[in-house]
Amino acid sequence: MSSGRLTVLSGPSGVGKSTVVAEIRRAHPEVWLSVSVTTRAPRPGEIHGVHYFFADDAEFDRLIDEGELLEWAEFAGNRYGTPRRAVLEHLAAGVPALLEIDLQGARQVRASMPEARLVFLAPPSWEELVRRLVGRGTEAPEVIERRLAAAREELAAEKEFDLTLVNTSVKDVCAELISLLAVHPSDD
Ligand SMILES: Nc1ncnc2c1ncn2[C@@H]1O[C@H](COP(=O)(O)OP(=O)(O)OP(=O)(O)O)[C@@H](O)[C@H]1O
Ligand SMILES: Nc1nc2c(ncn2[C@@H]2O[C@H](COP(=O)(O)O)[C@@H](O)[C@H]2O)c(=O)[nH]1
């Protein structure tokens, strides 16, 4: 069986990555979405095993030590990582896989799996990014500041990605991502 393509979606905090992923989950259940592990506390409505696997520091340390993470990073005071086995199993079965991860993680995937396609999700403007992050209402002001500081670095790294999609319309971004995911490497 031919292997599936790995696509990585990254972009600054608040740009709309989770919103896009939720729309893909709703409209395209045939796409497999990796569920990350995080030490962050759940937000209201987030479900263990659906949005994240929520773990304490000891469990996260164990996953690192035992090589169970494809990549991991510390972001704005919490750790996040991609379980390796599920990604490799889906790709080996020919299923397209999508990771929603930060810039540090995208760089690690680039290094270990150079065939992966890296997609940068950009905001229509800086002002709109701030509006979305603040408007989400899930973070304290000091956490928003940390995330905006990281956002400046992430925006400066856009050129490292294979392509950029501007998140003006969630539906348009999803349609573009779906057409990318459907393309097999040998079809390029
Ligand atoms: N195209 C869009 N137009 C207007 N608002 C949007 C759009 N996409 C997402 N949003 C809103 O922006 C806010 C941030 O979106 P979301 O939580 O998906 O961002 P994120 O990139 O996943 O952030 P983080 O990296 O912090 O998890 C949400 O309130 C969401 O409803
Ligand atoms: N390197 C990784 N980054 C990840 C992973 N899962 C999510 N993320 C990124 O973390 C930030 C913050 O997420 P939030 O849910 O706390 O707002 C965001 O950029 C996510 O894309 C992962 O497994 N590895």
Side-chain angles (χ1 to χ4, degrees):
M1 179 171 307
S2 59
S3 63
R5 162 166 272 171
L6 180 62
T7 303
V8 171
L9 182 66
S10 285
S13 183
V15 71
K17 301 179 297 297
S18 307
T19 307
V20 165
V21 163
E23 175 60 14
I24 289 180
R25 185 181 275 128
R26 187 195 65 76
H28 294 276
E30 72 277 13
V31 175
W32 181 75
L33 296 158
S34 169
V35 179
S36 297
V37 185
T38 183
T39 59
R40 163 168 85 58
R43 293 180 185 136
E46 284 185 332
I47 300 165
H48 181 79
V50 175
H51 300 98
Y52 279 109
F53 294 109
F54 296 98
D56 60 19
D57 276 316
E59 171 66 359
F60 204 96
D61 286 342
R62 186 191 70 74
L63 293 172
I64 295 171
D65 291 347
E66 296 184 3
E68 290 196 25
L69 299 179
L70 181 67
E71 60 73 36
W72 71 272
E74 182 160 342
F75 181 90
N78 294 297
R79 290 188 291 173
Y80 301 80
T82 302
R84 180 194 302 277
R85 192 180 316 146
V87 174
L88 298 186
E89 283 176 358
H90 282 84
L91 294 178
V95 178
L98 180 61
L99 309 185
E100 186 232 301
I101 60 177
D102 84 328
L103 171 64
Q104 305 167 77
R107 285 173 171 160
Q108 292 171 47
V109 172
R110 170 70 92 211
S112 64
M113 301 175 82
E115 69 282 8
R117 181 180 267 160
L118 269 50
V119 179
F120 188 80
L121 193 63
S125 67
W126 176 259
E127 291 71 25
E128 176 62 12
L129 179 69
V130 176
R131 207 167 14 250
R132 288 182 190 176
L133 187 54
V134 173
R136 188 171 68 189
T138 50
E139 268 78 34
E142 62 274 19
V143 179
I144 288 178
E145 284 311 315
R146 289 180 83 167
R147 285 174 179 249
L148 288 176
R152 290 190 189 281
E153 284 180 36
E154 303 216 75
L155 288 167
E158 179 185 338
K159 286 196 168 54
E160 296 178 31
F161 288 74
D162 296 309
L163 76 154
T164 294
L165 300 175
V166 179
N167 183 17
T168 304
S169 149
V170 172
K171 278 216 159 13
D172 289 352
V173 168
C174 286
E176 290 180 81
L177 267 179
I178 287 300
S179 67
L180 285 173
L181 284 159
V183 177
H184 189 274
S186 61
D187 297 332
D188 277 352

